[in-house]
Amino acid sequence: MNRQELVAQIRQKKSFLCVGLDVDIDKIPEHLRSEDDPIFTFNKAIIDATAPYTVAYKPNLAFYEAYGVKGIMAFEKTVAYLKQNYPECFIIADAKRGDIGNTSKMYAKTFFGEYDVDALTVAPYMGVDSVLPFIENYPGKWVILLALTSNKGSFDFQLTEDKDGERLFEKVIRKSQEWGNDKNMMYVVGATRGEMFKDIRKAAPNAFLLVPGVGAQGGSLEDVCKYGMTEDCGLLVNSSRGIIFASKGTDYAEAAAQKAHELQQQMAEILK
């Protein structure tokens, strides 16, 4: 999916919501755990319920790889289900891959060639040769680089300054724009960063930002939009636990739909 198509979906659905499919079997409704494929059964119901309100889905690979072959099969079935039934939705594999040379080429082949997702999260720490393999041979696909995350440990590296006062996350954004552009590269920026979105926009004025942390992590949608929104939106705001685990009962899909709808309504107002 290219940028024009993504923006068109945002305008059509009046939403820039991304639903994170971080499926922990211990947290899904108990009545689903006896299913042959509880993860896919859960995902299918969540997707069907929330699709009217979202433009993107983001399965986190850790929550699938943790269950071995069965988990990977559930991921594959989830991606296939989305592509067949909701082809207008942007699919992000949240795998945070990042290695050099042939290894990155194989990761790119896995996610863009085999699974055919739209985007992949990538760790940029190893530099240009860990990122280019995801861009060079896959037109229409997106790399989403980790830039400024909301976890406590982000202070260890991301916010450190060099002798000229440039912080590491700013250096990552500035340097990476030599490798890609705002039609094939996005950045992960945590919603709990608030006013720091102003600094992000100085470094990347037109890039799309994938913004986790709204909902269970307490990030402010209003602050994210105030400081981070562009003329064509430029944001994909992710909510995972706050939507998919809104209920542990048999009404889990309906509860997820309600939470997604509430966020979509807020986004529709902001997009006006």
Side-chain angles (χ1 to χ4, degrees):
M1 181 181 292
N2 61 36
R3 184 180 179 116
Q4 185 178 3
E5 291 168 336
L6 177 57
V7 172
Q9 281 302 306
I10 289 171
R11 289 172 175 163
Q12 180 178 329
K13 289 189 174 180
K14 298 181 175 62
S15 172
F16 44 98
L17 176 62
C18 174
V19 173
L21 299 173
D22 302 357
V23 185
D24 183 342
I25 287 180
D26 293 334
K27 294 181 179 179
I28 69 174
E30 190 170 352
H31 72 278
L32 296 179
R33 298 175 197 174
S34 59
E35 294 277 342
D36 290 338
D37 192 342
I39 294 175
F40 176 67
T41 301
F42 178 80
N43 280 353
K44 181 178 179 296
I46 293 292
I47 290 166
D48 288 340
T50 59
Y53 315 115
T54 184
V55 296
Y57 288 93
K58 183 177 70 66
N60 185 322
L61 266 292
F63 291 87
Y64 299 84
E65 293 170 338
Y67 301 106
V69 172
K70 288 185 177 181
I72 294 299
M73 290 176 65
F75 168 75
E76 291 180 349
K77 288 164 67 176
T78 298
V79 170
Y81 186 77
L82 280 166
K83 293 179 76 66
Q84 181 176 354
N85 295 278
Y86 303 98
E88 76 281 4
C89 288
F90 192 75
I91 305 174
I92 302 167
D94 189 2
K96 300 181 178 70
R97 297 300 194 254
D99 210 325
I100 57 174
N102 286 332
T103 309
S104 275
K105 288 180 181 178
M106 290 298 105
Y107 282 141
K109 183 177 181 180
T110 299
F111 289 99
F112 293 154
E114 181 67 22
Y115 298 140
D116 194 25
V117 298
D118 295 296
L120 176 70
T121 55
V122 173
Y125 184 78
M126 297 179 76
V128 60
D129 44 347
S130 67
V131 177
L132 278 184
F134 297 101
I135 297 175
E136 290 179 323
N137 299 315
Y138 297 95
K141 302 299 185 181
W142 295 77
V143 169
I144 308 180
L145 292 185
L146 301 176
L148 183 60
T149 57
S150 56
N151 60 304
K152 180 180 177 181
S154 64
F155 287 89
D156 293 340
F157 298 115
Q158 296 169 24
L159 293 165
T160 57
E161 298 182 7
D162 63 16
K163 59 182 177 60
D164 298 317
E166 185 177 46
R167 290 163 291 187
L168 182 58
F169 78 86
E170 293 169 316
K171 189 185 299 291
V172 166
I173 294 173
R174 175 179 55 79
K175 184 66 177 177
S176 65
Q177 290 178 62
E178 298 175 9
W179 315 331
N181 54 57
D182 59 18
K183 295 179 176 61
N184 60 18
M185 185 176 288
M186 302 185 188
Y187 298 95
V188 176
V189 182
T192 56
R193 291 305 183 190
E195 288 194 19
M196 291 192 72
F197 275 80
K198 290 189 293 186
D199 297 327
I200 295 289
R201 281 304 180 204
K202 290 176 184 177
N206 298 312
F208 257 86
L209 307 178
L210 173 62
V211 185
V214 168
Q217 295 182 47
S220 166
L221 179 63
E222 291 75 16
D223 283 351
V224 168
C225 295
K226 179 179 179 181
Y227 300 113
M229 184 168 277
T230 62
E231 287 186 3
D232 60 1
C233 186
L235 298 170
L236 290 175
V237 172
N238 182 81
S239 180
S240 301
R241 289 170 289 170
I243 290 177
I244 67 173
F245 298 136
S247 171
K248 290 187 177 182
T250 56
D251 65 338
Y252 70 97
E254 292 84 354
Q258 179 62 35
K259 291 294 184 182
H261 189 209
E262 289 172 5
L263 273 173
Q264 183 271 328
Q265 290 291 291
Q266 295 176 47
M267 290 175 176
E269 286 298 314
I270 292 168
L271 286 169
K272 288 181 180 179

